[in-house]
Amino acid sequence: MNIAIVGGGLSGLLCAFLLEKKGYSPTIYERLPKVGGVIDSFKSKKIMFDVGFHYSGSLASGQFLYEEFKKYNLLEKFELYAYDGDFDTLYFDEEEFGIPNSSLDFKQKLQMYFEDEREVLETFFDKCYEASKITLEEKEDYTNIDSRSLKSVMQYIKNPLLRKILLHFTIFYAEVQYEDASFDIYAKIMINMLDGTRKIRGNGRAIVDALKRELHNTTIKTRDEISEILYDDEGAKALRCNEGIKKYDAIISTLHPRTTTVLLKSENKKLKRYVKHVNELEESPTFFSIFCLVDADIKSNLYFYGNDCISVLPSSKLDEKSVVTIIARSSYEKYANLEKEEYIRLKQEECEEHILALKKLYNFGNIEIMDCSTPTTKQHYSNGYMGSAYGILCSAKQKSLSMVMSKTRVENLYLAGESALAPGLLGCYLGAQKVMNYFEELR
């Protein structure tokens, strides 16, 4: 059975890796010069910076990702290490709150800070633990549709600051302080982060390199952009690539669902309704990134919640300085279709605005900017839609409509990637595993 994977980012590499374990020899098509996409790291002035991967939950012994990677001997390919103390520090105006690497410690810390909400927090965490369970034993156990919103589960939590602290975890998959987020995904991300947040030595590039080394029977075609997915009433049949038309028995697209539907060039009325549905779904936000060196010794990830929500994510040390990625909200429309000079001017202005705002929030000492990227940069490397950070917004309303959509309306065409289930290492792995349900293990 010939299987093609469109897109060589994290999801594409994971799909190829898991298909090989089932005995298949897939082909990856990547339009860029190398695979990895936004998860890869890059060098600027000989300094390695993170782009789309900074840290991940579920990587402690006994947790889902750890045990899955152990089963496939991936843990031997990269080095995990924990934070020394709190992994996240949150700032709300004059308030500061550290997030410990333990769900029990986090719960008890919240109960100590907010004594009046002790019992309500106990109930809330019980619901989070129940919803956070991940298993592959049953075919659909880990992707059952749960349409509850985070707001509905948090309804008895009244303290505004407590709500803000709990809403912090929506920033990893949906929107800043987003109460309408899917509770199901929230619980999986929150508990797995609290009990198993780890960094990986070498950052995103280490993951890409580890997966590439394990692909022994996969053909990787770089600089090969797919221009069309050919199909008929029986399903997807072929891809139009640089070499012409290549026939396949099944096609997995890790591109954004909108981008994938464009490749179908549909005239089919039934499929047009599907395309219309996908196009009407709300997108996750986009961001502006600044890659720099700061004098301050930053040990945890810093999140400043205010008018200009800014994240400061340290990745390594260099000559007693911290190598960090600064992430702030931005607008794709502002940069789309600009002439080069105007683009550069706006990019520089936005960079300066975020740095100025950040200096008012924290004493970083000198900030040496090495590079920065706009939403259109994200769009270029992810081939997504309007530079959205996580693809389709993972809201409670949309989860039942869009998040469980690995099997499309076209037979033998499947979707993986951030929009298929959830973003991040955990979401991409689960999305890839879900697609594997449709492929029998070869003997």
Side-chain angles (χ1 to χ4, degrees), residues 228-244:
E228 186 176 3
I229 298 173
L230 290 88
Y231 68 100
D232 58 23
D233 291 340
E234 294 181 358
K237 297 291 185 181
L239 295 174
R240 192 182 301 277
C241 59
N242 289 354
E243 298 175 357

Side-chain angles (χ1 to χ4, degrees), residues 94 126 192 229 424:
E94 301 300 317
D126 285 345
N192 278 280
I229 298 173

Side-chain angles (χ1 to χ4, degrees), residues 138-156:
E138 297 295 334
K139 187 173 181 180
E140 296 293 343
D141 248 13
Y142 60 101
T143 53
N144 279 340
I145 295 173
D146 182 342
S147 60
R148 285 181 296 174
S149 69
L150 179 55
K151 181 193 296 184
S152 69
V153 182
M154 288 178 61
Q155 62 180 311
Y156 299 111

Side-chain angles (χ1 to χ4, degrees), residues 164-194:
K164 288 179 180 179
I165 292 170
L166 292 172
L167 285 168
H168 164 62
F169 295 92
T170 65
I171 199 173
F172 301 106
Y173 72 106
E175 173 73 89
V176 175
Q177 298 284 289
Y178 186 52
E179 294 196 358
D180 290 321
S182 160
F183 172 70
D184 180 56
I185 301 299
Y186 171 89
K188 288 176 171 57
I189 289 176
M190 185 187 81
I191 298 301
N192 278 280
M193 288 191 72
L194 288 168

